[in-house]
Amino acid sequence: MGRPSADAALAAVAAALLVAAAGTVVAVPTDAAPAGEDIAFDPGVPDTYDFEATDEPGVATVDGEQFDALRPALDAAEPGDTVELRGRFDPEATVVVETPNVTIRGADDSADGASATTASDGDRTGTDGRMAVVDGPGEGDALALNASGVTLDGVWVRNAGYATEDNDAAVWVDGAGVTVRDSRITDTTFGIWVDSVADVRLVDNTVVGRDEIASRSDRGNGIQLYETADAYVADNRITDARDGIYYSWADRVEARNNTLWDLRYGVHYMYSNDCRLVNNTAVGNDAGYALMLSEGLEILHNTAVNNTGQSGHGILLKSIDHTTVRDNHVVGNGNGLFVYNSLDNEIARNLVAGNGAGVHLSAGSVRESVHHNTFVRNRVQVRADVGEQVAWNESAGNYWAGAGVRDVDGDGVGETRYRPAGMVQHLTGEHPKASVFTGSPAFEVVRLAERTLPVVEAPGIVDHRPLAEPPHDWRDYYDRDH
């Protein structure tokens, strides 16, 4: 083996001297790009939901016959019938639907019989802006859909019980092929609970939990998918619950275009495989998307912004394998992506900007394909708690703000490797007081040696072919003055 070059020798000497020289100092950010926190992002959600319920007494119509209570109307309904609701119903116990293929629909009171108007929150209402209301008894479930093929359409269901241990829900679904759409779910522990049935559709609903329960962990989830398969969850708005959409042994579920805010986790997977999460928005939660103990997920075109609570992750992968995380925007979170004990995943074409750490890699997550991402304005681009050097890609890598990539042949890909987490991070991790020197010429010598020669091979991440230009216009999330 040949003798080390002068650059390599100087790098090794500089590293040793820096560690020895570390005194009582204050650590400073190490990212060469400026870190920014003032995110210019409007998720389009209100600060609060303040709905006004009708005081008109409830009237249910079935095949031309009118009832002043919901139970006898449902008892009179045959498969295929529609139970049309007006006003407010105040049942003294859980209302149970046991006839299959029945539709329970809020009445259309428009003069011409056309579709009822749409309120600003997306719910279908009558012309007076009031929805038909099922006002539960305040304990247990409010409405239980226990037959197959039932549809709940344009109804406000509220005032379920408070017992998380009993899974009290506004709408309990225990029938295959049930649809809940264009409805409003409020004043409840769990919003919609799907219990061990398949082919459920939950579309265009608003779910608001109980914000008077201060601890989010003591609330229920907005939508709970338990031992279900092939569900479709789309265009829902969920807030003030524990988790927005919670998966527990739920497979092949597609969730898209949902908006999730002021929650513990926007979306939470547990033991759920082969699911798709597409074009959702999670903002202002403890964590945006928490993926745990699952595999075969597709996490595509989602947005996670300003999730900075106790967990503080935009996207968390914990014990996640064979999953694709692609084309997401992860901006202004504590950690953009936190990858823990996860293997064989593709993390590609994501915008990772303005986070405390762009990616935090831990617990043996060493077999990931990471490419065509934009890393910019993160305080630390990568934090890698691994015991070996990990190569994320070979032919084309990621854009790293401040990396100074040299693209000699003009193909958009750099010829020299980049170490977003290498000797400098290793030294400052082992000796935090050395962080004050990260902008010094000596540390720049270490970075240069890591880019050009495989001499200082500390544990961490290497990007063999970093990109010369960012694939994303990250400035859309910041004021143009930055």
Side-chain angles (χ1 to χ4, degrees):
M1 181 179 295
R3 298 176 59 187
S5 68
D7 278 347
L10 180 57
V13 171
L17 289 175
L18 284 165
V19 173
T24 304
V25 296
V26 178
V28 296
T30 61
D31 189 359
E37 295 182 348
D38 48 344
I39 307 298
F41 177 73
D42 181 8
V45 300
D47 293 334
T48 60
Y49 272 115
D50 187 15
F51 300 130
E52 184 178 355
T54 180
D55 289 326
E56 295 296 321
V59 177
T61 304
V62 182
D63 197 21
E65 185 177 1
Q66 292 188 340
F67 300 84
D68 60 5
L70 192 50
R71 284 180 181 277
L74 292 169
D75 290 341
E78 299 289 339
D81 280 348
T82 294
V83 182
E84 193 172 66
L85 307 184
R86 290 177 173 84
R88 191 174 80 191
F89 298 85
D90 299 284
E92 296 180 354
T94 303
V95 175
V96 180
V97 181
E98 297 180 323
T99 303
N101 301 316
V102 165
T103 296
I104 305 166
R105 184 173 63 200
D108 173 12
D109 292 327
S110 58
D112 61 0
S115 297
T117 58
T118 301
S120 60
D121 65 335
D123 295 320
R124 184 169 61 80
T125 64
T127 54
D128 63 351
R130 309 281 182 90
M131 300 183 79
V133 178
V134 177
D135 202 347
E139 59 182 21
D141 305 320
L143 181 63
L145 310 180
N146 289 354
S148 62
V150 171
T151 296
L152 181 70
D153 182 9
V155 179
W156 182 356
V157 185
R158 65 179 189 176
N159 202 24
Y162 285 79
T164 54
E165 65 275 16
D166 294 331
N167 305 326
D168 289 349
V171 179
W172 182 273
V173 178
D174 194 13
V178 164
T179 296
V180 181
R181 67 177 176 232
D182 205 11
S183 293
R184 185 180 293 165
I185 312 296
T186 69
D187 302 294
T188 185
T189 299
F190 291 88
I192 304 172
W193 182 295
V194 179
D195 193 64
S196 303
V197 291
D199 299 310
V200 170
R201 294 177 61 86
L202 309 176
V203 179
D204 199 22
N205 304 291
T206 296
V207 181
V208 184
R210 290 185 167 119
D211 65 351
E212 66 269 23
I213 298 177
S215 172
R216 291 172 174 169
S217 297
D218 292 333
R219 305 172 187 174
N221 301 313
I223 292 175
Q224 176 94 21
L225 304 171
Y226 176 71
E227 288 189 344
T228 186
D230 303 309
Y232 182 70
V233 182
D235 299 299
N236 300 286
R237 298 154 299 279
I238 306 175
T239 187
D240 292 336
R242 180 197 298 162
D243 299 338
I245 307 173
Y246 184 93
Y247 299 67
S248 181
W249 289 282
D251 296 338
R252 301 186 304 279
V253 175
E254 179 162 343
R256 60 169 59 238
N257 302 328
N258 301 286
T259 305
L260 314 140
W261 74 102
D262 288 342
L263 305 158
R264 184 184 67 168
Y265 303 152
V267 172
H268 189 179
Y269 289 93
M270 293 290 290
Y271 308 104
S272 298
N273 302 325
D274 304 316
C275 295
R276 286 171 52 87
L277 189 69
V278 184
N279 201 35
N280 301 277
T281 298
V283 58
N285 307 294
D286 286 356
Y289 308 102
L291 324 176
M292 301 183 185
L293 298 161
S294 304
E295 63 179 27
L297 306 177
E298 293 182 84
I299 313 300
L300 312 173
H301 299 283
N302 301 286
T303 299
V305 174
N306 289 340
N307 299 288
T308 57
Q310 184 175 357
S311 299
H313 310 304
I315 302 177
L316 162 67
L317 288 78
K318 182 177 181 181
S319 300
I320 294 291
D321 299 332
H322 308 292
T323 285
T324 298
V325 180
R326 188 174 65 238
D327 292 309
N328 303 284
H329 287 193
V330 186
V331 182
N333 307 283
N335 290 305
L337 296 101
F338 185 80
V339 185
Y340 182 93
N341 191 34
S342 298
L343 293 172
D344 301 315
N345 303 297
E346 182 187 33
I347 300 172
R349 304 187 185 280
N350 303 288
L351 170 61
V352 185
N355 304 284
V359 175
H360 187 171
L361 203 68
S362 187
S365 301
V366 296
R367 294 205 309 265
E368 320 299 335
S369 174
V370 185
H371 60 89
H372 290 93
N373 301 286
T374 298
F375 291 93
V376 63
R377 298 181 74 101
N378 303 293
R379 282 186 168 79
V380 177
Q381 300 284 42
V382 176
R383 179 172 290 114
D385 300 327
V386 294
E388 60 188 275
Q389 185 178 109
V390 178
W392 270 352
N393 45 69
E394 294 183 359
S395 60
N398 306 276
Y399 175 79
W400 306 94
V405 172
R406 297 178 181 177
D407 178 16
V408 176
D409 58 8
D411 66 350
V413 180
E415 278 72 38
T416 57
R417 65 183 190 167
Y418 178 65
R419 295 294 307 273
M423 176 58 80
V424 170
Q425 187 186 84
H426 181 69
L427 289 171
T428 55
E430 293 290 325
H431 306 274
K433 294 177 181 179
S435 296
V436 73
F437 298 107
T438 55
S440 68
F443 260 125
E444 287 303 317
V445 170
V446 177
R447 293 190 180 100
L448 174 63
E450 286 188 310
R451 284 197 299 267
T452 56
L453 295 170
V455 176
V456 185
E457 297 290 13
I461 302 300
V462 58
D463 188 337
H464 283 291
R465 301 295 305 278
L467 303 180
E469 297 293 335
H472 307 85
D473 187 2
W474 54 270
R475 294 174 182 82
D476 288 346
Y477 283 91
Y478 294 91
D479 295 334
R480 290 298 180 176
D481 293 334
H482 283 268

